Amino acid sequence: MTVRSLARADDELADAIRYYHRAGGPELATRFLNAFDAAINHIGADPESLPVFYETERYGPVRRCPLGRPWPYDVLFTLGRNAVAVVSVWDYRRNPADRPA
């Protein structure tokens, strides 16, 4: 299934990459991006297998962080007929009231 992202999700992904680049350098940012790509591939392969997050939104976790902990991000998405729309690259440490509705 085709996966497309909304502008908000693109901005959130860019913010996360910048954060990890500052926090740990280009290698850490690349590791995060690789984990994000794996999450997107998983979502595209079988989006209906992932849990519902809020009403019609589902999520796929970004995993495989160094030190064995998950990255603190979920990819929120909605299903269309022939495509998946990524709504947000959500840092779940943020205030839940700010999450996209």
Side-chain angles (χ1 to χ4, degrees), residues 5-91:
S5 63
L6 304 180
R8 175 187 179 130
D10 289 340
D11 292 344
E12 291 169 340
L13 176 60
D15 287 345
I17 292 168
R18 279 192 294 274
Y19 170 79
Y20 287 115
H21 194 275
R22 283 191 315 269
E27 183 180 329
L28 187 61
T30 299
R31 285 184 189 176
F32 173 76
L33 189 55
N34 289 340
F36 175 81
D37 287 343
I40 291 296
N41 288 334
H42 180 71
I43 290 167
D46 193 10
E48 292 178 357
S49 71
L50 295 164
V52 173
F53 175 72
Y54 180 77
E55 294 182 5
T56 61
E57 291 180 0
R58 294 176 179 267
Y59 73 94
V62 179
R63 297 293 181 246
R64 297 188 194 136
C65 178
L67 307 176
R69 289 178 280 166
W71 298 99
Y73 287 87
D74 289 324
V75 179
L76 305 181
F77 65 94
T78 59
L79 292 173
R81 282 199 171 143
N82 298 318
V84 171
V86 175
V87 176
S88 180
V89 180
W90 180 254
D91 180 342

